């Protein structure tokens, strides 16, 4: 036995070529070499968003499944918490594992599973109660709300434009923090619907042209619209730093800020409490859904290019707290379904994670709305040739929804009448020149 154990070392000393992969070395190979072999074997190109330098994998060749590229990549990459994302039949992107982002195939499994948990309004309402309770608990929102300041907000001067006005505000929230934003209101007197408009991560946040066009146009048509800084963006960044946006705290604070703003705005004499909407795109769309889970005062919901069964939101401000683990596992479409039977319109496109909406998420929502005999109360505007943005067609879908739902004045739909202001005009405290 001793002689046999010496065979390999002796051969190596003699310079005889022996493959380094052995049982004793756990058949270890460099990851980069293994992936190069996989690329050649299956005739695909691999694009890397990870650094493979120095990484080695045990039992390397045993992880290869000659009948399946996908299984092969999973077996190899999961060892390092990497994943392969298919771009097309000949290209895969190697990325770090992302807990909020999956593949369309995962959504196609998750939605039927969730649907199997309830068959009627009674069983759905039981599930809904569990989700509502656990989402609040996971965010810790009910521990913070009693600590919030009750002071009235501070206001800037009102600026009047063609058919609407803009006024900035600063509102104290919790632990000495504040939230700043702007109120776009019709010039016409009387009671108006209110629309809370959390902004996404589009260029320049709430100070960007697209956000101003939408809120200004809705205000001209008769709605009071409010937007506010993301946590760690704009004036919030002045207070807590830009790095704060990349924390789980952003998820909690943005939700808290929206609740406090609604608490204050809904008390205004010019607000019609029977018409209270929420509308946002991308990350703002994710927050739109969350707001309806946390707050029953909304009567209309309009998430844009956001809601997906296989993507929870890639920013900590959308998925920093593990709310998708509620009820044993959920997703944004199930959370959105909790809004039934009140009016909802989902805007989706063919160039992002909402590409499956017409075939997957929308029929699911219709089923839940059907429990209430209200299938007609949920809509989907799908733009298959468009990509992830808040462009003209998406905004026009928003306008149409609120014209129909809140009775806004369609004759005032003219974005060219909206004045685009500089960032300093929309800030409560203007930036100082450096």
């Amino acid at each position: 036995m001793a002689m046999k154990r010496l065979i390999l070392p002796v051969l190596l000393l003699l310079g005889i070529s022996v493959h380094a992969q052995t049982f004793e070395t756990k058949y270890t190979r460099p990851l980069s070499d293994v992936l190069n072999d996989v690329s050649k074997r299956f005739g695909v190109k691999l694009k890397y968003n990870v650094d493979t330098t120095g990484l080695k994998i045990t039992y390397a060749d045993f992880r290869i499944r000659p009948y399946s590229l996908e299984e092969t990549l999973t077996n190899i990459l999961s060892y390092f918490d990497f994943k392969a994302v298919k771009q097309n039949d000949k290209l895969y992107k190697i990325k770090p594992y992302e807990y909020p982002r999956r593949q369309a195939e995962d959504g196609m499994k998750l939605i039927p599973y969730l649907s199997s948990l309830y068959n009627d309004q009674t069983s759905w309402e039981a599930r809904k109660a569990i989700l509502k309770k656990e989402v609040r608990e996971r965010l810790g929102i009910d521990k913070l709300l009693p600590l919030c300041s009750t002071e009235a907000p501070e206001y800037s001067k009102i600026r009047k434009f063609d058919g609407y006005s803009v006024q900035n505000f600063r509102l104290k929230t919790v632990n000495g923090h504040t939230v700043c934003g702007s109120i776009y209101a019709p010039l016409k007197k009387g009671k108006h619907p209110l629309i809370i408009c959390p902004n996404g991560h589009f260029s320049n946040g709430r100070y960007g042209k697209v956000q101003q066009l939408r809120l200004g146009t809705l205000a001209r048509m008769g709605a009071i619209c409010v937007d506010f800084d993301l946590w760690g963006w704009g004036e919030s960044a002045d207070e807590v730093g830009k790095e704060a946006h990349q924390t789980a705290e952003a998820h909690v604070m943005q939700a808290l800020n929206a609740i406090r703003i609604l608490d204050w705005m809904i008390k205004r004499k010019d607000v019609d409490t029977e018409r209270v909407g929420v509308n946002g795109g991308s990350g703002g769309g994710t927050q739109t859904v969350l707001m309806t889970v946390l707050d029953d005062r909304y009567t209309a919901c309009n998430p844009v290019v956001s809601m997906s069964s296989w993507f929870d939101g890639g920013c900590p401000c959308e998925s920093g707290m593990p709310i998708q683990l509620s009820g044993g596992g959920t997703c944004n479409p199930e959370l959105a379904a909790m809004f039934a039977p009140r009016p909802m319109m989902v805007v989706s496109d063919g160039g992002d994670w909402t590409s499956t909406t017409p075939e997957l998420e929308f029929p699911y929502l219709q089923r839940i709305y059907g429990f209430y005999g209200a299938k007609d109360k949920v809509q989907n505007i799908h733009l298959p040739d468009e990509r992830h943005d808040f462009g003209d067609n998406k905004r026009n879908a928003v306008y149409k929804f609120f014209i129909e739902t809140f009775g806004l004045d369609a004759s005032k739909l003219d974005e060219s009448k909206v004045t685009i202001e500089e960032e300093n005009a929309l800030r409560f405290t203007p930036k100082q020149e450096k």
Side-chain angles (χ1 to χ4, degrees), residues 153-159 166-170 181-183 424-430:
E154 301 172 85
Y155 296 98
S156 73
K157 291 182 179 180
I158 294 176
R159 304 180 299 283
V166 183
Q167 185 177 33
N168 308 330
F169 67 87
R170 179 166 60 199
S182 299
I183 306 165
N424 264 353
L426 292 164
R427 293 170 63 99
F428 188 84
T429 303

Side-chain angles (χ1 to χ4, degrees), residues 53-272:
T53 305
L55 298 182
K56 295 181 179 181
I57 185 166
T58 59
Y59 303 99
D61 293 332
F62 292 91
R63 298 172 184 267
I64 294 173
R65 299 293 181 265
Y67 48 82
S68 173
L69 170 61
E70 280 74 17
E71 286 187 41
T72 295
L73 289 172
T74 298
N75 290 342
I76 293 169
L77 297 173
S78 58
Y79 186 85
F80 302 98
D81 229 13
F82 297 161
K83 66 174 185 176
V85 180
K86 186 176 182 179
Q87 308 299 299
N88 55 54
D89 288 340
K90 292 295 182 181
L91 176 63
Y92 285 74
K93 186 179 289 186
I94 309 301
K95 304 175 66 175
Y97 178 75
E98 301 169 280
Y99 73 90
R101 189 189 302 266
R102 300 169 292 280
Q103 297 299 299
E105 293 77 10
D106 295 297
M108 293 172 187
K109 296 173 184 176
L110 180 58
I111 288 295
Y113 162 73
L114 293 174
S115 294
S116 73
L117 301 180
Y118 27 81
N119 295 308
D120 53 26
Q121 185 177 332
T122 301
S123 55
W124 163 247
E125 286 288 344
R127 168 73 174 173
K128 176 179 171 180
I130 292 170
L131 292 172
K132 184 179 285 287
K133 179 176 181 290
E134 288 196 28
V135 167
R136 297 187 76 90
E137 288 175 348
R138 289 178 183 277
L139 278 174
I141 203 81
D142 291 317
K143 294 179 180 179
L144 291 175
L145 284 170
L147 304 178
C148 285
S149 170
T150 57
E151 290 184 37
E154 301 172 85
Y155 296 98
S156 73
K157 291 182 179 180
I158 294 176
R159 304 180 299 283
K160 293 185 178 181
F161 301 105
D162 188 339
Y164 72 103
S165 66
V166 183
Q167 185 177 33
N168 308 330
F169 67 87
R170 179 166 60 199
L171 177 67
K172 288 185 179 179
T173 56
V174 69
N175 296 333
H177 293 303
T178 64
V179 57
C180 295
S182 299
I183 306 165
Y184 294 69
L187 293 181
K188 187 177 179 181
K189 302 296 184 182
K191 282 190 174 291
H192 305 285
L194 170 67
I195 306 174
I196 305 297
C197 300
N199 58 280
H201 301 92
F202 298 117
S203 177
N204 211 25
R206 73 179 186 88
Y207 310 107
K209 178 179 179 180
V210 168
Q211 184 84 347
Q212 293 188 56
L213 283 174
R214 187 170 97 261
L215 273 64
T217 300
L218 287 167
R220 291 187 77 254
M221 293 194 293
I224 298 173
C225 298
V226 184
D227 65 1
F228 53 99
D229 284 318
L230 297 170
W231 185 249
W233 277 42
E235 293 187 76
S236 176
D238 298 341
E239 183 180 285
V240 298
K242 292 181 180 180
E243 299 80 8
H245 190 68
Q246 296 300 316
T247 65
E249 186 178 45
H251 200 182
V252 179
M253 290 304 296
Q254 286 176 200
L256 181 75
N257 289 344
I259 293 172
R260 288 295 296 118
I261 288 169
L262 181 57
D263 286 343
W264 147 57
M265 286 296 301
I266 208 166
K267 295 175 182 177
R268 285 176 45 142
K269 293 180 180 179
D270 57 350
V271 167
D272 179 356

